Amino acid sequence: MERPDFWQIESAHFDRGVQTICGVDEAGAGPLAGRVYAAAVILPRGWDAPYLNDSKKVTEKRREILYEKIIQAAESYAIAWADEKEIDEINILNARMLAMERAIQALDKTPDLALIDGNRSTGITCPNETVVKGDARSASIAAASILAKVARDRYMLEQAALYPQYAFERHKGYPTKLHYERLREHGPSPIHRLTFLKKL
């Protein structure tokens, strides 16, 4: 799998004296239902693993394997979320930032710098740098993207057992044709984001 030097961004900061860097990413901004998840990860310098990349470019099976490798190797990691009620209340952009901030604050080591996937870091209280497409450019952010994605998928499987009529196990809450069909048939569940259902 082609990808650039995954430690180039971190190394530039290490070279100027930054000691501890965490990568931060989120999963689940687009679905119609459920929480948005975020993860923050501090990796040992230079750590890598086969197939480590943006979670969207990795198969589900490989994500599960990477998840275990990352949590075993990480100097510190944390997974957090904002729920559907918070998303409806403060909007998805702010809820994404809230989940990221919660993940950073839950680390048991305080990072000198957080590398945030994307182009926005409103509400992040520690020193930070945004990295556009960071999950395909930075090992730390890629690791965070894997943890956030796997954690959210596992949560949606739990919700599928609670609300089997929506087939969450198949679409994970994303706006698929099947999901809209089930929504029209059954109406929203307690975990649907009501502000996302304008099309119904």
Side-chain angles (χ1 to χ4, degrees):
M1 191 175 290
E2 290 290 321
R3 58 172 169 73
D5 174 9
F6 246 25
W7 281 91
Q8 190 172 354
I9 294 169
E10 287 89 338
S11 294
H13 290 292
F14 291 143
D15 288 348
R16 64 179 182 82
V18 174
Q19 294 295 310
T20 306
I21 295 174
C22 76
V24 189
D25 200 3
E26 50 79 19
L32 309 177
R35 305 164 177 166
V36 59
Y37 270 72
V41 185
I42 300 171
L43 292 175
R45 291 190 190 193
W47 186 86
D48 202 355
Y51 305 108
L52 179 65
N53 208 325
D54 168 5
S55 64
K56 294 184 288 298
K57 298 177 181 176
V58 181
T59 65
E60 184 175 0
K61 185 175 180 182
R62 285 174 178 162
R63 285 198 299 264
E64 290 282 348
I65 294 167
L66 282 166
Y67 181 96
E68 299 303 328
K69 288 184 175 180
I70 292 162
I71 64 173
Q72 287 168 17
E75 294 180 7
S76 183
Y77 75 93
I79 298 167
W81 61 80
D83 67 23
E84 62 285 340
K85 293 179 180 59
E86 291 172 311
I87 292 167
D88 282 341
E89 188 175 327
I90 63 175
N91 79 43
I92 187 59
L93 291 176
N94 290 322
R96 285 174 55 216
M97 295 298 122
L98 178 60
M100 288 184 180
E101 173 69 4
R102 285 172 173 165
I104 296 167
Q105 293 301 322
L107 291 167
D108 55 21
K109 293 178 74 169
T110 302
D112 300 317
L113 179 71
L115 296 177
I116 311 290
D117 184 58
N119 61 2
R120 196 167 175 274
S121 61
T122 309
I124 304 299
T125 56
C126 77
N128 64 82
E129 176 181 300
T130 58
V131 185
V132 175
K133 300 191 186 306
D135 46 11
R137 297 172 57 202
S138 153
S140 304
I141 297 175
S145 82
I146 296 287
L147 296 195
K149 173 67 173 162
V150 171
R152 186 178 189 279
D153 282 356
R154 291 176 178 179
Y155 155 77
M156 288 307 295
L157 289 177
E158 293 171 4
Q159 301 309 302
L162 292 174
Y163 307 106
Q165 65 270 39
Y166 297 99
F168 288 138
E169 74 282 358
R170 292 175 60 183
H171 51 68
K172 306 297 192 295
Y174 282 87
T176 65
K177 182 183 176 188
L178 172 64
H179 193 179
Y180 277 119
E181 286 172 358
R182 297 297 175 89
L183 265 168
R184 291 189 185 102
E185 185 178 351
H186 301 288
S189 73
I191 68 158
H192 274 94
R193 306 170 182 180
L194 300 182
T195 52
F196 279 50
L197 303 182
K198 303 290 171 64
K199 289 184 182 177
L200 286 181

